[in-house]
């Protein structure tokens, strides 16, 4: 992973969201995962 990818992942984690790192042929893709409760 390069420094740009690490900074992107750390920025998301600092906000309290989850991060998913997906290896691709072009490098690593960073995906922000948000979970919100569903109201019944």
């Amino acid at each position: 992973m390069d420094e740009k990818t690490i900074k992107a992942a750390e920025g998301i984690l600092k906000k309290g969201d989850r991060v998913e790192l997906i290896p691709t042929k072009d490098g690593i893709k960073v995906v922000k995962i948000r979970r919100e409760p569903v109201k019944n």
Side-chain angles (χ1 to χ4, degrees):
M1 285 195 317
D2 60 353
E3 192 66 31
K4 182 179 175 185
T5 304
I6 295 170
K7 294 282 185 189
E10 286 178 342
I12 295 168
L13 290 171
K14 285 180 183 178
K15 293 179 182 178
D17 291 323
R18 295 176 183 215
V19 174
E20 185 175 320
L21 303 174
I22 303 171
T24 63
K25 63 180 178 181
D26 298 328
I28 296 179
K29 183 165 104 174
V30 180
V31 178
K32 179 171 81 171
I33 307 296
R34 291 184 62 188
R35 292 187 179 199
E36 297 179 11
V38 177
K39 296 180 182 179
N40 291 342

